[in-house]
Amino acid sequence: IDYLIIDTPPGTSDEHISTVQFLKKADAVSGAVVITTPEEVSMADVRKELNFCQKTKVPVLGIVENMATYQKKLSELNYLGPDG
């Protein structure tokens, strides 16, 4: 495998700890790419995740802010029905 992408829920729960421990035993941790959105609650979770990466010595390869500049009025959006 060239890349293994693991999508985990926000925070630093048991899933994160178990995943890092497992991958470190396999010598398979290259780093983390952290995804956030502009909302303060999301950024608070990312700060926790960055601290987690620092404590577990997982290099942070990058941070992506998703939906940072996408702005569209609801009336301008077109929704497709079941027939496309």
Side-chain angles (χ1 to χ4, degrees):
I1 293 178
D2 291 330
Y3 297 97
L4 175 62
I5 298 172
I6 302 171
D7 184 11
T8 59
T12 54
S13 62
D14 289 341
E15 292 93 350
H16 296 87
I17 294 167
S18 297
T19 301
V20 168
Q21 288 174 343
F22 178 80
L23 292 173
K24 282 193 170 223
K25 283 182 185 177
D27 195 31
V29 177
S30 299
V33 176
V34 181
I35 312 296
T36 186
T37 58
E39 291 82 19
E40 184 57 39
V41 69
S42 178
M43 288 189 270
D45 284 335
V46 166
R47 284 190 284 274
K48 290 179 192 174
E49 194 65 38
L50 293 173
N51 286 332
F52 174 80
C53 288
Q54 186 177 29
K55 288 178 184 176
T56 58
K57 295 182 175 44
V58 173
V60 177
L61 304 176
I63 300 173
V64 176
E65 187 176 54
N66 195 14
M67 298 184 289
T69 59
Y70 183 78
Q71 295 180 0
K72 196 86 161 161
K73 292 181 182 178
L74 190 58
S75 61
E76 295 174 352
L77 294 176
N78 296 318
Y79 295 97
L80 300 176
D83 298 328

